[in-house]
Amino acid sequence: MENTTEIPYTIYIEATPNPASMKFVTNKILVKDKGASAEYKNISETQTAPIAKQLFQFPFVKTVFISANFITITKADAVNWDDISVELRVFLTDYLNKGNLIITALPQQEVAIDNTFTETKTISTQHVAPQNDVEAKIIEILDQYIRPAVENDGGLITFKELKDGIVTVQMRGSCSGCPSSTMTLKAGIEGLLKRLLPDAVKEVVSEAM
């Protein structure tokens, strides 16, 4: 007889380059839409994210970032991870294994279906929708080359705008407020975009979230 017992959620904790952020990694996918993620900076933003709403019941939780199979939590400065990490892991494991809802709707954007930019489709993304081929290429580069590394560290970097050769990006998850984010921005992202798009990109700057 086939065993149909569902495998329970298990969670392990990973440190990130940002000492204020910790990554809680699960053995199952939390966000099924490929490449999708969501960040919540306060409880008022969590109407479509029951799990984030519950996490904000902890007074030391500052932001919640959810992507793929992990949740990055950023804490208040007044507490230490040694005092709260196990409590959060136990809560998340219990919450998920009870079958509670994770996210009911993801952030979405209308994006062009091709380089004519005449028709659009709705996709789950936190990038601002590109208005031309260059902006579309910047997003492609961020997703292909930058995303895997920063996602491994519990964060995400999204495109906001290109103006007069200056690319503005937004730091999310553990990348927001991370001491090493400036190095990542200049040595990593700016260098890559200037090399791949030398006629379009002069500088990359970040916008506080």
Side-chain angles (χ1 to χ4, degrees):
M1 188 173 186
E2 185 181 355
N3 184 359
T4 58
T5 303
E6 187 172 352
I7 297 172
Y9 281 91
T10 58
I11 295 175
Y12 67 90
I13 304 171
E14 282 186 0
T16 77
N18 185 347
S21 299
M22 198 71 77
K23 187 177 176 184
F24 294 79
V25 186
T26 77
N27 60 326
K28 297 184 182 183
I29 294 296
L30 301 174
V31 180
K32 298 190 186 308
D33 294 38
K34 186 177 180 181
S37 63
E39 184 176 42
Y40 308 95
K41 298 183 285 297
N42 54 66
I43 197 168
S44 66
E45 298 179 350
T46 63
Q47 292 88 346
T48 59
I51 194 169
K53 185 175 184 178
Q54 291 302 309
L55 283 168
F56 277 110
Q57 302 302 316
F58 293 94
F60 45 76
V61 171
K62 285 181 66 178
T63 66
V64 177
F65 176 77
I66 306 172
S67 181
N69 69 326
F70 68 88
I71 298 174
T72 298
I73 298 173
T74 302
K75 68 172 181 63
D77 295 335
V79 295
N80 296 316
W81 282 116
D82 288 344
D83 299 325
I84 63 173
S85 59
V86 173
E87 181 181 6
L88 287 169
R89 181 176 63 79
V90 170
F91 164 76
L92 287 170
T93 303
D94 184 58
Y95 181 96
L96 292 167
N97 282 322
K98 285 180 177 177
N100 292 312
L101 291 172
I102 301 170
I103 295 176
T104 58
L106 287 160
Q108 295 185 321
Q109 292 278 1
E110 291 285 330
V111 301
I113 62 172
D114 55 36
N115 59 10
T116 64
F117 292 89
T118 55
E119 295 183 55
T120 63
K121 63 180 178 179
T122 302
I123 65 170
S124 297
T125 181
Q126 289 183 285
H127 293 296
V128 170
Q131 302 302 309
N132 53 57
D133 284 343
V134 174
E135 292 185 358
K137 185 64 177 176
I138 290 170
I139 291 172
E140 181 184 334
I141 292 169
L142 290 175
D143 281 343
Q144 183 174 351
Y145 296 102
I146 304 300
R147 183 180 183 119
V150 297
E151 200 170 70
N152 190 54
D153 288 333
L156 181 68
I157 297 174
T158 55
F159 171 78
K160 184 182 180 187
E161 69 174 3
L162 170 64
K163 186 175 181 181
D164 300 325
I166 300 174
V167 177
T168 301
V169 296
Q170 295 176 321
M171 303 288 196
R172 302 178 185 273
S174 64
C175 293
S176 180
C178 179
S180 62
S181 62
T182 300
M183 183 183 300
T184 301
L185 187 73
K186 293 298 180 182
I189 303 170
E190 182 174 284
L192 180 64
L193 289 175
K194 286 168 75 173
R195 185 168 73 250
L196 297 178
L197 300 169
D199 297 328
V201 177
K202 299 176 184 176
E203 186 181 4
V204 177
V205 298
S206 65
E207 179 183 86
M209 295 294 296

